[in-house]
Amino acid sequence: MGKPGPQTGHVGLNVTDLTRSAAFYQRVLGLEELGGQTNGDRKFAFLGRDGTLLLTLWQQSEGAFPTGLPGLHHLSFQVADLEAVRQAEVVLREIGVEPLYDGVVAHGEGASSGGVFFTDPDGIRLEIFAPTGAEAAPVPTQGAPTCGFF
């Protein structure tokens, strides 16, 4: 066997308010703060789970995420099962975030995977999904992947 190919490492996101965004990702995704700097003009936070870095937030932007420009389309997070997706949806609604679709949806016609789609405080499009269990969930985008057109 050959060497394993590349895999995604941590993801870095520009944010407008580090404190707000760090609290959002910690609450919604259950991430813990692994380090960072909250003082001075170079603010950043390392967030992860079990000591593994997953997300870095950099406070170095203004405005809102520009969905009409080339770059990141959306960021997805896989969880163990559909129950974990539903729990995330409850947390989102508790903090006032409305999902972009009406709750949990399937990734497409005949797909068993599905999730909840929403935006972070800066408008970055996000998805929390499970690989199975969404067979009976609605499909909001006919003829294309749900995650491609939201």
Side-chain angles (χ1 to χ4, degrees):
M1 293 224 121
K3 295 180 183 178
Q7 66 181 31
T8 303
H10 77 276
V11 173
L13 299 175
N14 285 341
V15 299
T16 59
D17 183 324
L18 182 65
T19 301
R20 177 186 69 180
S21 292
F24 174 86
Y25 283 99
Q26 288 174 308
R27 176 88 190 270
V28 173
L29 298 175
L31 300 179
E32 58 195 44
E33 189 168 332
L34 302 177
Q37 180 173 306
T38 58
N39 298 321
D41 61 348
R42 295 181 182 231
K43 297 178 183 178
F44 62 94
F46 297 134
L47 303 177
R49 181 171 288 131
D50 299 326
T52 300
L53 178 62
L54 300 174
L55 192 61
T56 303
L57 304 176
W58 306 96
Q59 183 174 308
Q60 56 185 17
S61 63
E62 297 177 357
F65 179 70
T67 60
L69 297 176
L72 178 72
H73 182 275
H74 75 285
L75 181 57
S76 71
F77 297 91
Q78 181 174 328
V79 294
D81 53 34
L82 211 56
E83 181 56 33
V85 173
R86 288 189 179 104
Q87 290 171 358
E89 181 187 2
V90 167
V91 170
L92 289 167
R93 291 184 188 278
E94 284 175 356
I95 63 174
V97 176
E98 285 295 318
L100 298 173
Y101 299 117
D102 189 20
V104 177
V105 295
H107 277 132
E109 294 104 351
S112 62
S113 61
V116 63
F117 296 79
F118 57 100
T119 60
D120 82 347
D122 290 307
I124 297 172
R125 295 181 294 196
L126 302 170
E127 165 190 1
I128 297 175
F129 78 97
T132 61
E135 296 86 351
V139 178
T141 306
Q142 302 301 312
T146 300
C147 61
F149 298 93
F150 71 101

